[in-house]
Amino acid sequence: MHCPFCDTPDSRVIDSRLAAQGAQIRRRRECIQCCERFTTFESYEMVMPRVIKSNGRNEPFDEQKLRRSLMHALQKRPVTQEQIEATLFDIQQQIRRLGERDVKSFTIGEIVMQALYALDHVAYIRFASVYHDFQNVDAFHKHIAQMQQHEMSQTEQQLHD
C-alpha cells in the first residue's frame, strides 16, 4: 500500500479490525519511510448493477460518486468514518440484493435517503434538499414536518407495543 503522504510503496500494518459488520477489514498502517500513520479499508469486490439515469442514459455504478454525496451530506456531522463506511457498504448491499442488472437512479436515491435517515437527520435533510431539488424554504419546512410526523407516529407505535 503506497503511503498517501510520501508515496513510498511499503507500509506496515499496526492494527487490523473488522468493520462494516465484518464485511471489511480496517487496517491501521505506518509508512516505513516517513513514519506517518494512515487507515485503509479492505473489502471484497462485487459487480454492481448499472445505473439508469432519469434521462434514460445507462452508466456504471460509481462508488466514489456515492461516497462524495454521503460525505457532502455528512460534512461536519458527528458521524465516524467507520459509520460512513458501514453505511456505504449497507447501501451497496441493498442495491445488490435487488438482483437486477440495471437499477434506476431513483431507486438508489431512495435507498440512500433511508440510510441517511437512520444515520443522521440533518444529513438526511441536506441530501433530500439536493435530491428533491428544494426550491425554497417552504420545501425544507414541509420535509422536516413530514419527518417529525413520521418520528411521532413511530414513537406512538412503540408505546402501544
Side-chain angles (χ1 to χ4, degrees):
M1 177 65 60
H2 284 263
C3 172
F5 302 101
C6 70
D7 204 36
T8 298
D10 293 321
S11 62
R12 67 183 186 99
V13 175
I14 298 169
D15 181 42
S16 291
R17 297 179 186 188
L18 291 178
Q21 292 92 29
Q24 287 183 330
I25 298 175
R26 176 187 179 272
R27 297 195 194 279
R28 192 72 180 136
R29 296 177 178 270
E30 183 176 61
C31 177
I32 293 170
Q33 176 91 18
C34 69
C35 299
E36 290 288 337
R37 291 183 175 190
F38 57 99
T39 302
T40 61
F41 290 88
E42 183 179 313
S43 61
Y44 51 83
E45 186 174 358
M46 298 282 296
V47 177
M48 292 295 290
R50 293 187 60 81
V51 179
I52 301 171
K53 305 296 278 183
S54 58
N55 64 6
R57 219 175 61 241
N58 196 320
E59 64 184 47
F61 179 84
D62 185 351
E63 180 181 346
Q64 292 307 314
K65 185 176 180 180
L66 174 60
R67 181 182 301 278
R68 282 190 306 273
S69 295
L70 286 177
M71 295 301 286
H72 188 68
L74 290 163
Q75 188 174 12
K76 296 185 181 181
R77 297 301 305 151
V79 178
T80 67
Q81 188 63 37
E82 282 192 358
Q83 289 174 301
I84 294 169
E85 293 300 323
T87 300
L88 273 165
F89 178 78
D90 289 343
I91 290 168
Q92 290 179 59
Q93 284 291 93
Q94 287 182 51
I95 294 168
R96 279 189 207 100
R97 283 187 199 123
L98 294 172
E100 302 292 330
R101 296 184 79 181
D102 298 314
V103 176
K104 292 182 179 180
S105 59
F106 173 81
T107 303
I108 294 171
E110 292 302 313
I111 291 170
V112 172
M113 293 274 289
Q114 290 172 1
L116 283 173
Y117 187 87
L119 184 62
D120 184 273
H121 288 168
V122 171
Y124 167 80
I125 291 294
R126 286 178 178 170
F127 185 85
S129 70
V130 174
Y131 180 65
H132 290 300
D133 192 26
F134 291 179
Q135 295 296 311
N136 54 43
V137 175
D138 290 336
F140 279 93
H141 287 297
K142 180 180 175 186
H143 212 80
I144 291 169
Q146 288 173 346
M147 189 173 80
Q148 288 172 329
Q149 187 173 0
H150 181 262
E151 289 289 315
M152 287 180 8
S153 66
Q154 279 188 329
T155 302
E156 288 175 11
Q157 184 177 4
Q158 289 173 350
L159 291 174
H160 291 302
D161 289 345

